[in-house]
Amino acid sequence: MSSTSSSPKRIVVLGAGYAGLTAAKGAGRHHDVTLVAPEERILHRIRQHETAAGRGRDWPAIGDLVRGRRIRHQRARAVELDLAGHKVVLDDGTTLDYDTLVYALGSRTAWHGVPGAVEHAHPVERAAEVRRLIAEAPRPGTLAVVGGGATGIELATELAEAHPGWRVRIVAAGQVGGIYSAKGRAHIRRVLDRLGVEVHENATVTEVTPDGPRTAAGPIHADLTVWAASMEPHPLAAEAGLAVDERGRALVDDHLRSVSHPDVHVVGDAAAVTVPGVGTLRMGCATALPQGQYVGKLLDGRTAAPFSFRYVVQCLSLGRRDGLLQLVHPDDSMKPTVFTGTAGRLAKAGIVSVVLSALK
Ligand SMILES: Cc1cc2nc3c(=O)[nH]c(=O)nc-3n(C[C@H](O)[C@H](O)[C@H](O)COP(=O)(O)OP(=O)(O)OC[C@H]3O[C@@H](n4cnc5c(N)ncnc54)[C@H](O)[C@@H]3O)c2cc1C
């Protein structure tokens, strides 16, 4: 296997999210790894809705998490990839040479070209900014969360519960929680109703103004609009010439190597990973973490087997007092069974703590 060897290699890992950090930790047992990511502390994106609601705390420092491994954390951003020359150019002026590259730059908010969205909506990944705007508002107002998927639901419920003085609206192009089973959707709806969240379904946002989102059916007033509609992969993979799919996710083989550049492994939201019998994996912590762990083991020579993966559950937090545990088939299609209320909340909390343990 070209990238796996017992002799030490220079490995550069781009991105310290769930995928990059776990890949670096596995590879850094015997190889010299430079882990490139601008942040001092992990972003821990699956808890960003809590941060937005003023409930987050400081997550562990990356330097602490990689202590004891042959890993150097370089706080910078990759701005250019020279795949033929095996070099990465960083925004601090450094150029890094590598034998093997792990590309794990994850994803970012997709605005879909909606007029006014960039200017007037606040992306969920800037959770601290949302928290500050709520804290600094002269009085409670109206808050619109755009996006009826898992991220939008977690955000809307968390914000409504933490800030009962605010009127919270959730705006979805289709059905809120449309991917879940009938029982799952019904439970989400009950919790939204209990928290007083106003639901706007089949309401595709066509524009965002300082007064909130507009849909074909008319304007939806909001003093603060938060965008949690969808994510897109970081564009550097496509810009550098890695083979990508129509969404810009890098195409990889069954060992998570780029199909166009086998000395580059791609993991997490950045990769279009297709597993036989399962399909192409969705973006998620649930898929990013095992991919990073797998590539870490592969580069460390602890496995040579192809990557394998099966879905088991999907979990949602619905504020601090409720949650949804949705059982799924191995291909992520819904089973009818759900666990809700305290059971759902505890299941989600358990999974979140397992994720943090996996990074330690
Ligand atoms: C509010 C919220 C809740 C979520 N909840 C869940 C959930 O419950 N379950 C679930 O499965 N998924 C959830 N997700 C999705 C999940 O967080 C992502 O799929 C996951 O973070 C992807 O991991 P990753 O390692 O691929 O990338 P990311 O976590 O996006 O990490 C990317 C890394 O790359 C770094 N980076 C970016 N650009 C550069 C650059 N130019 N140079 C160097 N470094 C760079 C970043 O700083 C970061 O370190 C949630 C997402 C959000 C926003």
Side-chain angles (χ1 to χ4, degrees), residues 47-49 51-53 123-132:
R47 299 195 71 176
Q48 275 180 338
H49 53 292
T51 304
V124 64
E125 74 231 54
R126 296 212 299 264
E129 178 181 301
V130 175
R131 177 185 58 201
R132 180 180 58 76

Side-chain angles (χ1 to χ4, degrees), residues 86-127:
H86 286 198
K87 292 180 194 306
V88 184
V89 181
L90 307 183
D91 64 355
D92 63 4
T94 318
T95 297
L96 301 175
D97 296 296
Y98 63 82
D99 299 312
T100 299
L101 181 70
V102 178
Y103 181 102
L105 292 187
S107 57
R108 59 188 194 175
T109 293
W111 300 102
H112 300 299
V114 173
V118 175
E119 296 83 357
H120 305 302
H122 303 272
V124 64
E125 74 231 54
R126 296 212 299 264

Side-chain angles (χ1 to χ4, degrees), residues 24-352:
K25 288 194 74 168
R29 289 156 61 112
H30 300 104
H31 298 291
D32 293 320
V33 174
T34 305
L35 175 61
V36 180
E39 65 271 18
E40 181 193 357
R41 295 176 179 276
I42 56 163
L43 299 176
H44 209 7
R45 278 175 48 185
I46 63 170
R47 299 195 71 176
Q48 275 180 338
H49 53 292
E50 295 174 50
T51 304
R55 291 167 155 171
R57 55 182 175 85
D58 274 348
W59 309 120
I62 293 169
D64 291 338
L65 294 175
V66 301
R67 190 155 295 136
R69 303 282 161 103
R70 294 167 61 165
I71 302 172
R72 185 173 64 85
H73 176 206
Q74 185 151 351
R75 291 189 62 194
R77 283 180 190 279
V79 289
E80 205 181 314
L81 288 185
D82 173 0
L83 296 170
H86 286 198
K87 292 180 194 306
V88 184
V89 181
L90 307 183
D91 64 355
D92 63 4
T94 318
T95 297
L96 301 175
D97 296 296
Y98 63 82
D99 299 312
T100 299
L101 181 70
V102 178
Y103 181 102
L105 292 187
S107 57
R108 59 188 194 175
T109 293
W111 300 102
H112 300 299
V114 173
V118 175
E119 296 83 357
H120 305 302
H122 303 272
V124 64
E125 74 231 54
R126 296 212 299 264
E129 178 181 301
V130 175
R131 177 185 58 201
R132 180 180 58 76
L133 290 167
I134 294 173
E136 289 175 0
R139 68 194 69 81
T142 304
L143 212 152
V145 174
V146 179
T151 306
I153 294 166
E154 290 197 325
L155 192 61
T157 50
E158 196 81 35
L159 290 169
E161 188 187 81
H163 301 289
W166 283 72
R167 173 185 293 230
V168 178
R169 300 178 158 153
I170 186 166
V171 185
Q175 225 182 349
V176 170
I179 63 155
Y180 298 100
S181 65
K183 280 186 195 161
R185 283 197 304 278
H187 184 68
I188 292 166
R189 192 54 189 253
R190 269 194 300 277
V191 176
L192 290 169
D193 289 347
R194 174 167 56 73
L195 293 170
V197 178
E198 197 180 288
V199 176
H200 296 259
E201 294 187 317
N202 303 313
T204 302
V205 172
T206 52
E207 187 184 354
V208 181
T209 74
D211 296 326
R214 284 176 181 273
T215 72
I220 296 172
H221 172 73
D223 302 299
L224 189 59
T225 301
V226 186
W227 194 265
S230 65
M231 306 296 281
E232 63 186 12
H234 195 290
L236 194 58
E239 288 166 10
L242 282 176
V244 296
D245 68 5
E246 65 291 345
R247 295 178 65 193
R249 298 174 87 191
L251 296 166
V252 291
D253 66 13
D254 60 2
H255 286 75
L256 309 191
R257 291 173 297 212
S258 158
V259 297
S260 58
H261 296 80
D263 44 8
V264 180
H265 289 270
V266 190
V267 284
D269 284 1
V273 178
T274 301
V275 176
V278 175
T280 301
L281 305 187
R282 64 177 157 80
M283 290 181 182
C285 168
T287 51
L289 195 68
Q291 289 172 37
Q293 289 172 325
Y294 166 78
V295 164
K297 278 189 189 162
L298 188 70
L299 295 176
D300 193 45
R302 281 178 287 133
T303 186
F307 176 71
S308 65
F309 180 85
R310 295 282 180 275
Y311 292 99
V312 181
V313 294
Q314 286 207 29
C315 273
L316 268 186
S317 69
L318 299 167
R320 295 301 86 207
R321 293 188 276 280
D322 211 319
L324 174 70
L325 177 73
Q326 167 76 64
L327 300 193
V328 300
H329 293 286
D331 66 355
D332 210 25
S333 58
M334 301 295 135
K335 289 183 176 176
T337 312
V338 294
F339 296 90
T340 60
T342 305
R345 176 180 68 78
L346 290 175
K348 172 75 190 201
I351 286 176
V352 167

